[in-house]
Amino acid sequence: MMSESGKVPAPTIERLAIYSRPLEDLLESGTPVVSSERLAILCGVNPAQVRKDLAYFGEFGVRGLGYEVRELLRAIRTILATDRVWHLCIVGMGNLGRALVENENFKKRGYLFAAAFDVDNRKVGERLRCGLAIEPIAKIKELVGRLNVDIGVITTPQEDAQRVADLLTDAGVKSLLNFAPLQVRAPASCFVEHVDLGVKLENLAYHLTRLRGAKPHK
Amino acid sequence: MMSESGKVPAPTIERLAIYSRPLEDLLESGTPVVSSERLAILCGVNPAQVRKDLAYFGEFGVRGLGYEVRELLRAIRTILATDRVWHLCIVGMGNLGRALVENENFKKRGYLFAAAFDVDNRKVGERLRCGLAIEPIAKIKELVGRLNVDIGVITTPQEDAQRVADLLTDAGVKSLLNFAPLQVRAPASCFVEHVDLGVKLENLAYHLTRLRGAKPHK
DNA sequence: GCCTGTGAATCCATTCACAGCT
DNA sequence: AGCTGTGAATGGATTCACAGGC
């Protein structure tokens, strides 16, 4: 058994979250036990990878048998700290922002939006379907502190993203999830996760052209 | 100079897209030349990484000087094939789907939504702000063929995602961008890119708890 | 002197292959 | 026999360090 204090590769953390998806389905369908091979197939990875990823945090399986689904899922949730409630706030209530605050999956996993802001004062006061009213960014500091916000989500246009990131970190937010297409700067104490949806499309475009180059088009 | 036929690491492709963001800004602000170091800082990577990534595709810089912004941006766009129009379709017109079809950044980069579908027939016929009307999934095969769709975007609930992926690949779509939280299966000839927004949040949660563990909370 | 382009060195992650337990 | 847990081997990607050209 290995303590989790040893360095864990970043990809391992991402995969643990991936593993939990089919595990939820297996639990619901009443499957009691799963092997690393089966789980690997469901997630599109190598079986040894599954075992190694889990081994960073303990011994969750039974040799000759496999992993108990319920127990494994609970273990992963503990590791990823999905077994508690996290408070989020979001800045930038365009289409994407609205889609995120109303996302049921987030709520189900314990990610609660506690406040929504927008730089455009004309939007301030508008009530969202989720119940929140849009607040002005001038209130970020006050509300982030009062509501104990852990994670700030940025869905503003590119030109506002850095200013908003500064406001959020200044208010004490310890991590950011940024959807604006630029690298926001933040103090080292603040974790920043980037999601650039355009990058994914450009990836596909690149591969599509190579494919066309390799094989004749149909 | 190295031909681009040699194997290019997947992360390199992702980063080329990242590099293009600040390059667009630099071009607009009239900066004629940029060094690998400056670009690296703007993108949060190592300068040698920038040079090596570019070297996979040619020699774009001038020793002692740097890279001409306009020329480099054009080169990257050619490599990523962002210099042409791509036709997309999207299936699943919930909040996220609506946010994506109306995203101006995609349109600006040449990604055009040619059709929008939903599994729920009650939504069929509804006209979206972007001008498209929602079509039934029964028309996927016909419309994908007629409109020459290159990329299929899946924003359905988890339970519909695999069925939709099958319909899309069967209709001849050569790549998929899947937002449903499960690994969709597709023939090897079809590229699949996954975006699970929950994974990003779970990542932040993991790091936040380790941080708390390391340092006392405030 | 300055900055690119690139082999060599390092670092990191994945996969193999088998020992160990049930 | 079956499947986990893990050292060893492999395979990639990042970074270093310097040669090459402006």
Short mmCIF file of all heavy atoms in Angstrom, two decimals, chain B residues 187-218:
data_model
loop_
_atom_site.label_atom_id
_atom_site.label_comp_id
_atom_site.label_asym_id
_atom_site.label_seq_id
_atom_site.Cartn_x
_atom_site.Cartn_y
_atom_site.Cartn_z
N PRO B 187 -16.24 4.07 -34.75
CA PRO B 187 -15.26 3.36 -35.58
C PRO B 187 -13.92 4.08 -35.59
O PRO B 187 -13.86 5.30 -35.40
CB PRO B 187 -15.90 3.37 -36.98
CG PRO B 187 -17.09 4.26 -36.90
CD PRO B 187 -17.46 4.40 -35.47
N ALA B 188 -12.86 3.32 -35.81
CA ALA B 188 -11.51 3.89 -35.73
C ALA B 188 -11.32 5.04 -36.72
O ALA B 188 -10.49 5.92 -36.51
CB ALA B 188 -10.48 2.80 -35.99
N SER B 189 -12.09 5.04 -37.79
CA SER B 189 -11.93 6.08 -38.81
C SER B 189 -12.46 7.43 -38.32
O SER B 189 -12.28 8.45 -38.97
CB SER B 189 -12.67 5.67 -40.08
OG SER B 189 -14.05 5.56 -39.81
N CYS B 190 -13.13 7.43 -37.19
CA CYS B 190 -13.76 8.65 -36.67
C CYS B 190 -13.02 9.16 -35.43
O CYS B 190 -12.87 8.43 -34.45
CB CYS B 190 -15.21 8.35 -36.35
SG CYS B 190 -16.14 9.77 -35.74
N PHE B 191 -12.56 10.39 -35.47
CA PHE B 191 -11.90 10.98 -34.32
C PHE B 191 -12.91 11.45 -33.30
O PHE B 191 -13.89 12.09 -33.66
CB PHE B 191 -11.04 12.17 -34.72
CG PHE B 191 -9.75 11.77 -35.32
CD1 PHE B 191 -9.59 11.73 -36.69
CD2 PHE B 191 -8.69 11.39 -34.51
CE1 PHE B 191 -8.40 11.33 -37.25
CE2 PHE B 191 -7.50 10.99 -35.06
CZ PHE B 191 -7.35 10.96 -36.43
N VAL B 192 -12.66 11.12 -32.05
CA VAL B 192 -13.58 11.56 -31.01
C VAL B 192 -12.80 12.39 -29.99
O VAL B 192 -11.76 11.98 -29.50
CB VAL B 192 -14.22 10.38 -30.28
CG1 VAL B 192 -15.21 10.88 -29.24
CG2 VAL B 192 -14.92 9.46 -31.27
N GLU B 193 -13.32 13.56 -29.71
CA GLU B 193 -12.72 14.42 -28.71
C GLU B 193 -13.73 14.58 -27.58
O GLU B 193 -14.91 14.80 -27.82
CB GLU B 193 -12.41 15.78 -29.34
CG GLU B 193 -11.51 16.69 -28.55
CD GLU B 193 -10.04 16.37 -28.73
OE1 GLU B 193 -9.59 16.17 -29.87
OE2 GLU B 193 -9.35 16.33 -27.70
N HIS B 194 -13.26 14.38 -26.35
CA HIS B 194 -14.13 14.42 -25.19
C HIS B 194 -13.94 15.69 -24.39
O HIS B 194 -12.82 16.11 -24.16
CB HIS B 194 -13.81 13.26 -24.25
CG HIS B 194 -14.64 12.07 -24.49
ND1 HIS B 194 -15.82 11.85 -23.85
CD2 HIS B 194 -14.48 11.04 -25.36
CE1 HIS B 194 -16.35 10.72 -24.28
NE2 HIS B 194 -15.55 10.20 -25.20
N VAL B 195 -15.05 16.28 -23.95
CA VAL B 195 -14.97 17.39 -23.02
C VAL B 195 -15.93 17.10 -21.88
O VAL B 195 -17.14 17.10 -22.08
CB VAL B 195 -15.34 18.73 -23.68
CG1 VAL B 195 -15.23 19.86 -22.67
CG2 VAL B 195 -14.47 19.00 -24.88
N ASP B 196 -15.38 16.81 -20.71
CA ASP B 196 -16.22 16.56 -19.55
C ASP B 196 -15.97 17.69 -18.56
O ASP B 196 -14.95 17.73 -17.86
CB ASP B 196 -15.86 15.20 -18.94
CG ASP B 196 -16.83 14.79 -17.83
OD1 ASP B 196 -17.31 15.69 -17.11
OD2 ASP B 196 -17.10 13.59 -17.69
N LEU B 197 -16.90 18.62 -18.51
CA LEU B 197 -16.69 19.81 -17.69
C LEU B 197 -16.60 19.46 -16.21
O LEU B 197 -15.89 20.12 -15.45
CB LEU B 197 -17.82 20.82 -17.95
CG LEU B 197 -17.90 21.28 -19.41
CD1 LEU B 197 -19.11 22.18 -19.61
CD2 LEU B 197 -16.63 22.02 -19.82
N GLY B 198 -17.30 18.41 -15.81
CA GLY B 198 -17.23 17.99 -14.42
C GLY B 198 -15.83 17.59 -14.01
O GLY B 198 -15.39 17.85 -12.89
N VAL B 199 -15.09 16.97 -14.93
CA VAL B 199 -13.73 16.52 -14.62
C VAL B 199 -12.86 17.70 -14.18
O VAL B 199 -12.07 17.59 -13.25
CB VAL B 199 -13.09 15.83 -15.84
CG1 VAL B 199 -11.60 15.63 -15.61
CG2 VAL B 199 -13.77 14.49 -16.09
N LYS B 200 -13.05 18.83 -14.84
CA LYS B 200 -12.24 20.01 -14.50
C LYS B 200 -12.53 20.47 -13.08
O LYS B 200 -11.62 20.82 -12.32
CB LYS B 200 -12.54 21.14 -15.48
CG LYS B 200 -12.24 20.81 -16.92
CD LYS B 200 -10.76 20.64 -17.14
CE LYS B 200 -10.43 20.09 -18.51
NZ LYS B 200 -8.99 19.84 -18.67
N LEU B 201 -13.80 20.46 -12.71
CA LEU B 201 -14.15 20.87 -11.35
C LEU B 201 -13.59 19.90 -10.33
O LEU B 201 -13.08 20.29 -9.28
CB LEU B 201 -15.67 20.95 -11.20
CG LEU B 201 -16.34 22.17 -11.84
CD1 LEU B 201 -17.85 22.09 -11.68
CD2 LEU B 201 -15.81 23.45 -11.22
N GLU B 202 -13.66 18.60 -10.63
CA GLU B 202 -13.15 17.62 -9.69
C GLU B 202 -11.64 17.76 -9.51
O GLU B 202 -11.11 17.54 -8.42
CB GLU B 202 -13.57 16.21 -10.16
CG GLU B 202 -14.99 15.90 -9.72
CD GLU B 202 -15.69 14.86 -10.54
OE1 GLU B 202 -15.67 14.93 -11.78
OE2 GLU B 202 -16.29 13.95 -9.94
N ASN B 203 -10.98 18.14 -10.58
CA ASN B 203 -9.56 18.44 -10.50
C ASN B 203 -9.28 19.55 -9.51
O ASN B 203 -8.39 19.44 -8.67
CB ASN B 203 -9.10 18.93 -11.87
CG ASN B 203 -8.09 18.01 -12.45
OD1 ASN B 203 -7.00 17.92 -11.91
ND2 ASN B 203 -8.45 17.33 -13.51
N LEU B 204 -10.03 20.63 -9.63
CA LEU B 204 -9.84 21.76 -8.73
C LEU B 204 -10.11 21.34 -7.29
O LEU B 204 -9.36 21.68 -6.38
CB LEU B 204 -10.75 22.91 -9.13
CG LEU B 204 -10.41 23.61 -10.44
CD1 LEU B 204 -11.46 24.65 -10.78
CD2 LEU B 204 -9.05 24.26 -10.35
N ALA B 205 -11.17 20.57 -7.10
CA ALA B 205 -11.54 20.13 -5.75
C ALA B 205 -10.40 19.31 -5.15
O ALA B 205 -10.01 19.51 -3.99
CB ALA B 205 -12.82 19.32 -5.80
N TYR B 206 -9.84 18.41 -5.95
CA TYR B 206 -8.73 17.59 -5.47
C TYR B 206 -7.57 18.47 -5.00
O TYR B 206 -7.06 18.32 -3.90
CB TYR B 206 -8.25 16.66 -6.58
CG TYR B 206 -6.99 15.91 -6.23
CD1 TYR B 206 -7.03 14.74 -5.47
CD2 TYR B 206 -5.75 16.39 -6.63
CE1 TYR B 206 -5.88 14.06 -5.13
CE2 TYR B 206 -4.58 15.71 -6.30
CZ TYR B 206 -4.65 14.55 -5.54
OH TYR B 206 -3.51 13.89 -5.21
N HIS B 207 -7.19 19.41 -5.84
CA HIS B 207 -6.04 20.26 -5.49
C HIS B 207 -6.35 21.16 -4.30
O HIS B 207 -5.47 21.43 -3.48
CB HIS B 207 -5.64 21.09 -6.70
CG HIS B 207 -4.93 20.30 -7.74
ND1 HIS B 207 -3.72 19.69 -7.50
CD2 HIS B 207 -5.26 19.97 -9.01
CE1 HIS B 207 -3.33 19.04 -8.58
NE2 HIS B 207 -4.25 19.19 -9.51
N LEU B 208 -7.57 21.62 -4.21
CA LEU B 208 -7.94 22.47 -3.08
C LEU B 208 -7.80 21.74 -1.76
O LEU B 208 -7.30 22.30 -0.78
CB LEU B 208 -9.39 22.96 -3.23
CG LEU B 208 -9.61 24.15 -4.15
CD1 LEU B 208 -11.09 24.45 -4.28
CD2 LEU B 208 -8.87 25.37 -3.64
N THR B 209 -8.21 20.48 -1.73
CA THR B 209 -8.10 19.75 -0.47
C THR B 209 -6.65 19.50 -0.10
O THR B 209 -6.28 19.57 1.05
CB THR B 209 -8.86 18.41 -0.52
OG1 THR B 209 -8.51 17.74 -1.72
CG2 THR B 209 -10.36 18.63 -0.49
N ARG B 210 -5.81 19.20 -1.11
CA ARG B 210 -4.39 18.99 -0.80
C ARG B 210 -3.79 20.27 -0.27
O ARG B 210 -3.00 20.27 0.66
CB ARG B 210 -3.59 18.56 -2.05
CG ARG B 210 -4.11 17.38 -2.78
CD ARG B 210 -4.29 16.16 -1.91
NE ARG B 210 -5.70 15.75 -2.02
CZ ARG B 210 -6.16 14.54 -1.79
NH1 ARG B 210 -5.35 13.58 -1.41
NH2 ARG B 210 -7.44 14.26 -1.92
N LEU B 211 -4.17 21.38 -0.87
CA LEU B 211 -3.65 22.68 -0.45
C LEU B 211 -4.01 22.92 1.01
O LEU B 211 -3.17 23.30 1.82
CB LEU B 211 -4.28 23.77 -1.33
CG LEU B 211 -3.57 25.11 -1.36
CD1 LEU B 211 -2.19 24.93 -1.96
CD2 LEU B 211 -4.37 26.11 -2.18
N ARG B 212 -5.28 22.69 1.33
CA ARG B 212 -5.74 22.87 2.70
C ARG B 212 -4.95 21.97 3.65
O ARG B 212 -4.62 22.36 4.75
CB ARG B 212 -7.23 22.51 2.80
CG ARG B 212 -8.12 23.47 2.11
CD ARG B 212 -8.88 24.34 3.10
NE ARG B 212 -9.56 25.42 2.40
CZ ARG B 212 -10.69 25.27 1.74
NH1 ARG B 212 -11.29 24.09 1.72
NH2 ARG B 212 -11.25 26.29 1.12
N GLY B 213 -4.70 20.73 3.18
CA GLY B 213 -3.95 19.80 4.00
C GLY B 213 -2.55 20.31 4.30
O GLY B 213 -2.06 20.20 5.41
N ALA B 214 -1.94 20.92 3.28
CA ALA B 214 -0.56 21.37 3.42
C ALA B 214 -0.45 22.59 4.32
O ALA B 214 0.33 22.63 5.26
CB ALA B 214 0.02 21.67 2.04
N LYS B 215 -1.27 23.58 4.03
CA LYS B 215 -1.20 24.81 4.82
C LYS B 215 -2.46 24.94 5.67
O LYS B 215 -3.54 24.55 5.25
CB LYS B 215 -1.11 26.03 3.90
CG LYS B 215 0.06 25.98 2.94
CD LYS B 215 0.03 27.19 2.02
CE LYS B 215 1.11 27.06 0.96
NZ LYS B 215 1.14 28.21 0.06
N PRO B 216 -2.34 25.51 6.83
CA PRO B 216 -3.53 25.77 7.64
C PRO B 216 -4.48 26.71 6.90
O PRO B 216 -4.02 27.60 6.16
CB PRO B 216 -2.98 26.43 8.90
CG PRO B 216 -1.61 26.92 8.53
CD PRO B 216 -1.12 26.02 7.47
N HIS B 217 -5.76 26.54 7.08
CA HIS B 217 -6.77 27.31 6.36
C HIS B 217 -6.84 28.73 6.88
O HIS B 217 -7.49 29.03 7.86
CB HIS B 217 -8.13 26.62 6.53
CG HIS B 217 -9.22 27.32 5.78
ND1 HIS B 217 -10.51 27.38 6.22
CD2 HIS B 217 -9.19 27.97 4.62
CE1 HIS B 217 -11.22 28.06 5.36
NE2 HIS B 217 -10.46 28.44 4.39
N LYS B 218 -6.18 29.61 6.17
CA LYS B 218 -6.09 31.04 6.51
C LYS B 218 -5.34 31.39 7.74
O LYS B 218 -4.60 30.67 8.30
CB LYS B 218 -7.48 31.64 6.70
CG LYS B 218 -7.79 32.48 5.50
CD LYS B 218 -8.25 33.86 5.80
CE LYS B 218 -8.21 34.65 4.46
NZ LYS B 218 -9.53 35.08 4.13
#
